[in-house]
Structure formats: C-alpha cells, structure tokens
Amino acid sequence: MAGSLIKIDEEIVTSAVASVTLTGIDSTYDVYMVQYLNVFMSSSGANNRIRFTVSGSADTSANYDGASKQMYTNQAFYNASSTNATYINSLGLGTTQDKSDNGTLYLFNFNNASEYSFITQEQVQTNSSSEIAGIMGGATLTVQQATDGIQFFASTGNIASGKFSLFGLAK
C-alpha cells in the first residue's frame, strides 16, 4: 500500500553498547525513515551522533555537512551548522530517565551512487540541564556513493538504552 511504513531493521538496547547500526537500505524504497525512542547515554552530557554506512561500515570521512534550528525552553533559539565534520551531531543528553532523546530521520538518495545521501532531522529531548530542547534540520554526506544504513554512537561513553527502528516508505 502506497505511503505505508515497512519495518526493515530494529535494535533495542537494554545494556550499554558503543554504537547501534541499522542496515538494509537498498533500491526497494526511494525514501527511508528512522525513529529512535527513549535513548539514554551512559555519560552525562554525551551527544547522540550519527553516521551513514557504506557496505555496513560507518563512513568516518570528514564529509558531513549539516544545518539546524535548535530550540530550547529556557534560552534563545539559535542556528547551528557544520561543514566537513566526521559525524552529524545532536544535543547533549544525560543518564537518567528525565533526559531522553527521541527523533525521526527521513533518509533520501541513500541507494543512489550518483547523488549525495542526505537526511532531514526532527528531534526532541530533555537534556542534561533538564530543559526541553528540539532540533529541526538536515545533513548530507558530500560523497557520491551508495549508503546502506545509519549508525548512532555516543560522543563519550556508550549508548545505555533505547529503541532504534528503520522503515522503508512504500512507493
């Protein structure tokens, strides 16, 4: 059925891991979606970072560009951007139940070796300062190559827990 989400991969973290990788992106779908829910870090203030995978391995090249509007409940909104980074960044998180990270990514051009793979990012969390924060933005890997998945990892420490799901958007 057109517009339906088809689950491709899911990882549920119940004990600390260095990274979570979702794979299975191919030419079956034009657009993919990732949802991550109730993600907690093992180190307070750690950021949930993202990389794309090529043949199942994270692309660690300094070719990620991104921009976002970051919104907070107790401070001014601001624009964030990065070029030639080795990952896509998010906001800092804590280790306790009140500091979770939740988000949705839409993935485009991942299976097209002639285009840049890119994402749109929607994220909401309570962060290490116990404030509600959100990100709306996007990022791209400025390399013309097919990418087959997405990896999440912590800026310091590990991912303590969370649910990560990859879906294909039926044509």
Side-chain angles (χ1 to χ4, degrees):
M1 174 169 21
S4 297
L5 295 175
I6 311 301
K7 189 182 290 183
I8 296 166
D9 194 7
E10 183 171 84
E11 298 292 331
I12 298 173
V13 177
T14 57
S15 60
V17 296
S19 65
V20 171
T21 302
L22 300 171
T23 59
I25 295 173
D26 57 22
S27 61
T28 305
Y29 305 102
D30 292 331
V31 178
Y32 288 81
M33 184 182 85
V34 170
Q35 284 195 319
Y36 49 100
L37 304 169
N38 295 319
V39 176
F40 300 96
M41 299 294 147
S42 65
S43 298
S44 187
N47 293 52
N48 186 12
R49 293 182 171 168
I50 300 167
R51 288 184 174 132
F52 303 163
T53 64
V54 178
S55 300
S57 297
D59 185 325
T60 60
S61 65
N63 292 308
Y64 292 94
D65 295 349
S68 65
K69 175 69 83 174
Q70 297 187 2
M71 301 159 280
Y72 298 87
T73 55
N74 67 355
Q75 58 182 299
F77 296 2
Y78 71 94
N79 298 319
S81 64
S82 63
T83 57
N84 301 322
T86 59
Y87 54 83
I88 300 163
N89 209 12
S90 68
L91 305 172
L93 288 167
T95 59
T96 58
Q97 193 65 23
D98 62 339
K99 297 176 180 71
S100 68
D101 188 15
N102 301 279
T104 302
L105 309 173
Y106 287 94
L107 290 55
F108 302 91
N109 292 340
F110 267 57
N111 60 355
N112 189 337
S114 300
E115 299 285 341
Y116 293 167
S117 299
F118 70 95
I119 64 169
T120 61
Q121 180 181 18
E122 303 167 2
Q123 175 186 3
V124 65
Q125 65 177 227
T126 51
N127 67 14
S128 57
S129 300
S130 295
E131 66 182 328
I132 297 173
I135 291 178
M136 296 293 288
T140 187
L141 178 61
T142 58
V143 178
Q144 292 177 327
Q145 66 185 4
T147 49
D148 62 358
I150 197 156
Q151 180 193 66
F152 295 87
F153 66 102
S155 59
T156 183
N158 292 304
I159 297 171
S161 62
K163 181 179 177 181
F164 302 81
S165 304
L166 171 67
F167 300 90
L169 183 59
K171 297 176 185 179

